[in-house]
Amino acid sequence: MDRASRTILERFSREAHNLLTHYRYNRSRPLHPRYRKGQIDALRWLCELGRIYLEEERRIPERLRRAIERECHHVEPLPPGPYRQGIEDALDRALELLEG
């Protein structure tokens, strides 16, 4: 996956967590209790959202591999010939690229 995307997701998660910690434990600023609760609830949700997207980002290569393998099975009923061979070769190269 693109390093920039991963960096953005990691920074997003880290910042949300830092703010959550700040609003949970920092009582030096006089804030309305409902405001603090709203901040904490929103930041919890944002932390969870960041975690979900980071997990999804980690799973992209496996999901891509499964999609290519599914397509390989869709090609099997085609009659042998140059068209089918072209598709199979392209899919095989794609799988090789995923292997690294």
Side-chain angles (χ1 to χ4, degrees), residues 5-6 8-17 20 42-60:
S5 298
R6 181 170 198 82
I8 290 168
L9 286 170
E10 288 172 346
R11 188 177 67 225
F12 176 86
S13 292
R14 187 174 47 252
E15 290 299 320
H17 183 265
L20 176 60
L43 289 165
R44 277 187 190 145
W45 178 77
L46 290 169
C47 286
E48 181 66 17
L49 190 65
R51 185 189 62 76
I52 288 168
Y53 277 96
L54 277 168
E55 285 179 15
E56 192 173 303
E57 190 268 341
R58 284 185 207 109
R59 285 188 240 146
I60 288 173

Side-chain angles (χ1 to χ4, degrees), residues 20 23-24 34-48:
L20 176 60
Y23 280 102
R24 250 192 207 154
R34 301 219 8 108
Y35 178 84
R36 184 184 304 276
K37 181 171 177 9
Q39 283 284 322
I40 290 170
D41 288 346
L43 289 165
R44 277 187 190 145
W45 178 77
L46 290 169
C47 286
E48 181 66 17

